[in-house]
Amino acid sequence: MTDRAKKILAAADLIACEDTRVTKKLAQAFGFTAPLIAYHEHNAEKVRPKLIEKVKNGGVVALVSDAGTPLISDPGYKLAASAIDEGIDLISIPGASAPLTALLLSGLPSDRFFFNGFLPSKTGARCKNLKELESIPSTLIFFESANRLASSLTDMATVLGNRPAAVARELTKKFEEVRRGSLQDLAAHYTEAGGPKGEIVVVVGPPGKAAAAITDASLDEQISDALLQNSLRDAAEIVATATGLPKKKIYQRALDLTKKAGN
């Protein structure tokens, strides 16, 4: 907590937060006496007008998050937008930011980066989203949950190629950890070890200067990787999305590889 953040919260008439139980501990530690009100994705539409009205009546409202920076993958951005529409002044008090902290610790290029937030939970939609990001000449940053980490890393390797990457968890906290490696190596590790506890950020390096032509060998490798965690049909769809090749052709090749492996 910076001195400026302490002064702002001490002067607030109302503190909006994700979970009042969490922020109550912060308030007790620093002696903040303003009432707490929950503001999160499930009640934002109902609570937001009340917060705006409080400020319009001369009050000072502070918005805090349980972890990280408010407004990043957070309904706080809608509150900020509403305040701007109403001509209300905003003050930002910088604090810990998981995407930026992960980028700094990843060892990957930081001159250009693209933050995507959470990927879709279903493999097909996730690969479609990744395909849209494939040609962005920047380091990519994602949030991910522990139970989806291995499958997401596998899909990233399939769609984006075997780029250098880093998986960071519990950033700026007691059990902070960063694991670096290729997407394939990281996918293999978390498939075997299981998802780590805590909040996770995945950082993926930018594409190479020139995308290599898809050879039969590289296509077979992508199909084999996709088959590790997916059915034949799903694997064909994933690789077809990643390569732009006809799904029928990919499915037949996957079928041939499966039969060959069976022999």
Side-chain angles (χ1 to χ4, degrees):
M1 287 285 287
T2 64
D3 287 340
R4 188 180 181 207
K6 294 174 187 176
K7 290 177 181 178
I8 292 292
L9 288 171
D13 298 303
L14 184 65
I15 299 176
C17 49
E18 291 181 66
D19 188 330
T20 56
R21 295 168 298 181
V22 173
T23 303
K24 183 178 180 181
K25 298 176 183 178
L26 180 74
Q28 290 176 337
F30 292 104
F32 305 142
T33 58
L36 306 179
I37 182 172
Y39 177 78
H40 45 69
E41 60 180 336
H42 302 296
N43 71 354
E45 297 300 320
K46 181 179 179 180
V47 174
R48 189 159 54 247
K50 298 179 181 179
L51 300 179
I52 294 296
E53 190 63 26
K54 179 74 172 179
V55 179
K56 292 176 72 174
N57 289 333
V60 174
V61 174
L63 173 68
V64 303
S65 58
D66 288 352
T69 301
L71 278 64
I72 304 298
S73 285
D74 174 276
Y77 86 90
K78 294 182 179 179
L79 177 60
S82 296
I84 291 170
D85 288 342
E86 294 289 341
I88 295 171
D89 289 334
L90 300 178
I91 297 174
S92 174
I93 310 298
S97 172
L100 291 180
T101 303
L103 175 64
L104 297 176
L105 295 177
S106 70
L108 297 169
S110 58
D111 53 332
R112 298 179 68 178
F113 56 90
F114 182 91
F115 174 66
N116 188 79
F118 282 97
L119 288 164
S121 58
K122 299 289 182 66
T123 291
R126 184 161 59 227
C127 288
K128 184 178 180 181
N129 191 167
L130 287 167
K131 185 65 177 177
E132 295 171 350
L133 307 176
E134 180 185 22
S135 61
I136 295 178
S138 305
T139 295
L140 305 176
I141 305 175
F142 305 91
F143 285 158
E144 194 48 274
S145 62
N147 63 319
R148 294 201 305 259
L149 179 60
S151 58
S152 286
L153 289 168
T154 299
D155 289 344
M156 289 177 190
T158 300
V159 177
L160 301 176
N162 195 27
R163 302 185 190 183
V167 174
R169 71 179 184 95
E170 292 296 274
L171 293 172
T172 75
K173 301 177 186 177
K174 182 178 180 179
F175 298 105
E176 176 178 290
E177 178 185 60
V178 181
R179 180 175 290 273
R180 305 171 185 85
S182 70
L183 282 170
Q184 288 181 355
D185 288 345
L186 290 170
H189 170 77
Y190 289 109
T191 296
E192 180 179 353
K197 294 181 179 180
E199 297 179 323
I200 299 167
V201 183
V202 179
V203 185
V204 181
K209 293 183 178 179
I214 300 174
T215 63
D216 289 342
S218 64
L219 180 60
D220 288 352
E221 184 179 359
Q222 289 189 58
I223 293 172
S224 297
D225 288 343
L227 284 170
L228 292 175
Q229 294 190 9
N230 299 280
S231 66
L232 190 68
R233 186 179 301 277
D234 288 344
E237 182 176 349
I238 291 168
V239 177
T241 301
T243 61
L245 296 173
K247 182 179 177 181
K248 185 176 181 181
K249 175 183 177 180
I250 301 298
Y251 183 87
Q252 184 58 53
R253 184 57 186 161
L255 187 61
D256 292 343
L257 289 174
T258 302
K259 290 179 178 179
K260 185 177 179 180
N263 293 333

